[in-house]
Amino acid sequence: EPCARRMGPNMCAGGMKEENCVQKGAIGPYPYAVGMLQVLSYGVAAWMVQQDAFLDFEQRATAATRPPMMTQGEDMVIGMFLYLSPWPLMPLHWGWDKLHDLCFKCTRKDQIWRPITVQTVVAHHIANEQIITEVFRNITHGSHFDPRPCDDACQQKLLPFEVTSLEDLCSRAGGSIRKVYSKCALVPK
């Protein structure tokens, strides 16, 4: 059962206190791989699926074919396994200007708070044909948010990550992340 579903170690640490997660047996805090895009190396994925806890999770998740069933949370599970791994791993993050969640419950018919631009890497939860068309148009022809179309050069451009490594994450927020995120102990000060 998820507890203190938050993005990033500091927000998760606060949520864990607020929701008494440790008393409920929760682990963490840990940053998790946001569900919009999850890419694992072969070695990490192979390690993950060999864990007894993964097999248990997979069996419970696939057995649930009628409500209540898991309709979200795979991103948290992947984040949890990265947290439990023996390596100094963490999800890299391109930044919220490149990742877009268009509608969480897919009841909205408009684009949400982060406009699609030529820097968009992922557009998640596209609810209908109108939104698909608008996403495509904004990227290929530009929009009032970013009037430049994404031409061949734009499509080949390497976009920088906002969080580049575990070392980078642990050095942020004035060192407070290092205090709450146990993986930071694997990074020299």
Side-chain angles (χ1 to χ4, degrees):
E1 184 67 32
C3 192
R5 183 182 174 115
R6 310 281 197 288
M7 295 216 188
N10 282 341
M11 286 192 287
C12 186
M16 288 185 74
K17 288 178 186 169
E18 192 178 292
E19 297 180 29
N20 298 315
C21 295
V22 173
Q23 292 85 339
K24 295 176 184 176
I27 63 167
Y30 57 87
Y32 60 93
V34 176
M36 299 176 215
L37 178 64
Q38 303 160 22
V39 180
L40 300 176
S41 71
Y42 174 82
V44 171
W47 174 86
M48 187 173 81
V49 300
Q50 292 171 6
Q51 304 309 300
D52 291 339
F54 182 84
L55 179 61
D56 179 54
F57 165 77
E58 188 275 333
Q59 288 173 341
R60 286 185 294 121
T62 56
T65 57
R66 288 192 207 92
M69 64 184 164
M70 181 177 234
T71 58
Q72 57 186 345
E74 79 292 341
D75 47 5
M76 287 180 60
V77 172
I78 289 174
M80 178 189 71
F81 280 102
L82 292 178
Y83 173 79
L84 294 173
S85 76
W87 307 293
L89 300 174
M90 61 141 301
L92 299 177
H93 187 22
W94 257 307
W96 292 116
D97 60 326
K98 299 172 192 79
L99 304 172
H100 306 277
D101 207 348
L102 297 181
C103 68
F104 186 66
K105 299 271 186 198
C106 290
T107 56
R108 292 183 56 175
K109 304 299 180 201
D110 59 336
Q111 291 184 15
I112 65 157
W113 47 277
R114 295 280 185 190
I116 300 295
T117 69
V118 295
Q119 289 206 82
T120 296
V121 176
V122 176
H124 188 235
H125 284 133
I126 298 176
N128 59 47
E129 187 175 344
Q130 175 191 350
I131 294 176
I132 293 170
T133 302
E134 289 175 16
V135 166
F136 179 77
R137 186 186 69 240
N138 285 6
I139 292 172
T140 58
H141 295 88
S143 69
H144 66 282
F145 301 111
D146 186 351
R148 303 165 296 153
C150 193
D151 57 16
D152 289 340
C154 165
Q155 291 176 30
Q156 298 302 315
K157 183 179 178 183
L158 295 177
L159 300 174
F161 284 104
E162 189 171 294
V163 177
T164 59
S165 65
L166 182 60
E167 292 86 352
D168 179 21
L169 177 71
C170 296
S171 71
R172 290 177 177 235
S176 65
I177 291 174
R178 181 174 284 282
K179 294 175 187 169
V180 298
Y181 186 42
S182 65
K183 284 283 188 187
C184 291
L186 300 172
V187 176
K189 288 185 180 184

